[in-house]
Amino acid sequence: MGMETMQRPGSATQKPANKVRWGELEEDDAEDLDFLLPPPVVTGPDENGIKKITEFKFNDDGNKVKITTTIQVRKLAKARLTKAAIERRSWPKFGDAVHEDVGARLTMVSTEEIRLERPRPPGSKEDTKILGDPMSTLGKPGAVLMVCRTCGKKGDHWTSKCPYKDLAAPPESFSDKPPTPDTATVGTSKSGTYIHPGQRDGAKQLGSEMRPRRNEENSVRVTNLSEDTREPDLLELFRTFGAVSRVYVAVDQKTGMSRGFGFVNFVNKEDAERAINKLNGYGYDNLILRVEWATPRAN
DNA sequence: CATGAGCGC
């Protein structure tokens, strides 16, 4: 660490910021003489933390005097770093930081995806609020219950993978007339709407089994739900009985609180029946569920 | 205890 000349704030022609209150001095032109003073010189801090300041001032008699100040400054932070930390500073940059200027950024934000694994008790499949296991008496151990909520098809694909989920306005898209063939643009209709490959020209038409149904039938009313039971919870609870076409939990529009009841619609009446038989009177979230046929909605 | 939302042509 060599000699350093401290840069004063402002230009060299400016009056140094003196602590002396010149206005209290008798000499009127004391301020002007200040220009003649050499700038202060600062050395260090050296390895022992010693900093020396040499500056010049006029004393009360108008004589130029040299003032030297010696200060013990705090040791540099570097001295407190561990050996390992100092060692790391010499490491070459890696990852995204390779392209960074030296010292441009101290930290980098990683965009790497990290999957978290949440441990579960052995044998359990996923979170559930069910007290006990209604499925243990169901005689369907390990049944694969893959039900698409978009088209209602069972065991074929999940909702997120539904071939029809990209289609806007499903009820219209699934009308019985075949889609308009379009030879000009691949994959789009005349209106520019995307058409799934299976629906394009030449693709075979949907069988009735494939077609999603607007099913307001087989509606089951569920009451005595705890107030923090939401639709995903209901779905998890009821989907094991069969294809669920809709779940609904009545919510107070103002408070967002559950009103404690909801509806579950099944694609198949038999599944709804079994759900009623199994889940009515069932303990769920410390409450006893009431599950029964819903009376059709007034419209 | 309790029977859903929206949709506007």
Side-chain angles (χ1 to χ4, degrees):
Chain A
M1 223 172 283
M3 288 272 281
E4 275 182 321
T5 304
M6 181 178 272
Q7 197 73 34
R8 296 179 76 81
S11 74
T13 56
Q14 265 184 323
K15 176 178 81 82
N18 263 311
K19 293 183 180 71
V20 185
R21 298 170 67 181
W22 294 98
E24 291 174 353
L25 298 178
E26 290 178 358
E27 302 216 62
D28 292 329
D29 57 350
E31 209 168 340
D32 299 327
L33 297 171
D34 197 33
F35 284 109
L36 303 170
L37 295 172
V41 174
V42 179
T43 68
D46 60 15
E47 60 279 354
N48 295 318
I50 302 299
K51 182 177 175 183
K52 287 181 180 170
I53 304 169
T54 305
E55 53 190 335
F56 299 90
K57 282 182 178 159
F58 288 110
N59 65 9
D60 291 350
D61 299 327
N63 295 320
K64 191 165 80 172
V65 295
K66 181 181 177 185
I67 304 168
T68 60
T69 314
T70 303
I71 310 168
Q72 165 82 57
V73 298
R74 188 173 60 83
K75 293 261 185 148
L76 292 177
K78 189 176 181 177
R80 286 186 300 201
L81 293 175
T82 64
K83 268 187 187 175
I86 295 166
E87 219 278 311
R88 285 197 291 274
R89 292 191 167 185
S90 62
W91 286 5
K93 287 180 182 292
F94 57 91
D96 291 341
V98 165
H99 309 292
E100 293 282 318
D101 289 338
V102 175
R105 278 195 281 176
L106 290 176
T107 55
M108 300 289 298
V109 177
S110 171
T111 56
E112 182 187 358
E113 272 188 35
I114 298 168
R115 293 191 164 267
L116 300 180
E117 265 183 43
R118 194 173 43 153
R120 285 197 184 109
S124 71
K125 203 75 204 278
E126 50 191 316
D127 277 358
T128 175
K129 294 183 175 185
I130 302 173
L131 306 176
D133 183 6
M135 298 307 109
S136 57
T137 59
L138 226 68
K140 275 177 78 180
V144 181
L145 293 154
M146 187 191 282
V147 179
C148 174
R149 283 198 281 158
T150 300
C151 71
K153 210 183 177 208
K154 212 193 295 192
D156 187 44
H157 53 259
W158 294 105
T159 306
S160 60
K161 294 282 167 60
C162 179
Y164 312 110
K165 80 183 181 96
D166 289 334
L167 296 174
E172 283 89 279
S173 301
F174 291 112
S175 64
D176 284 331
K177 49 183 179 183
T180 317
D182 188 355
T183 49
T185 324
V186 176
T188 53
S189 71
K190 277 174 192 165
S191 59
T193 340
Y194 174 76
I195 295 181
H196 185 272
Q199 291 229 20
R200 285 174 204 160
D201 188 21
K204 118 184 138 175
Q205 266 185 262
L206 292 174
S208 60
E209 201 179 331
M210 197 75 162
R211 216 170 303 149
R213 17 192 142 176
R214 262 281 169 255
N215 193 352
E216 290 297 305
E217 298 302 304
N218 309 320
S219 188
V220 173
R221 179 178 65 139
V222 187
T223 56
N224 214 28
L225 293 170
S226 70
E227 60 181 28
D228 53 357
T229 300
R230 292 300 146 114
E231 278 147 13
D233 305 316
L234 269 197
L235 177 65
E236 285 309 304
L237 184 58
F238 281 87
R239 69 187 308 170
T240 52
F241 295 94
V244 171
S245 56
R246 191 184 69 126
V247 281
Y248 176 84
V249 169
V251 163
D252 187 299
Q253 286 303 117
K254 270 194 167 170
T255 65
M257 296 266 291
S258 167
R259 294 169 63 192
F261 67 94
F263 297 90
V264 178
N265 288 28
F266 284 89
V267 173
N268 302 307
K269 189 179 180 184
E270 317 81 67
D271 294 336
E273 228 156 33
R274 287 167 50 244
I276 290 170
N277 290 336
K278 286 293 173 190
L279 291 181
N280 186 30
Y282 200 81
Y284 183 75
D285 238 13
N286 300 320
L287 292 176
I288 304 299
L289 287 188
R290 262 170 75 101
V291 184
E292 50 208 334
W293 289 111
T295 60
R297 182 169 24 197
N299 200 4

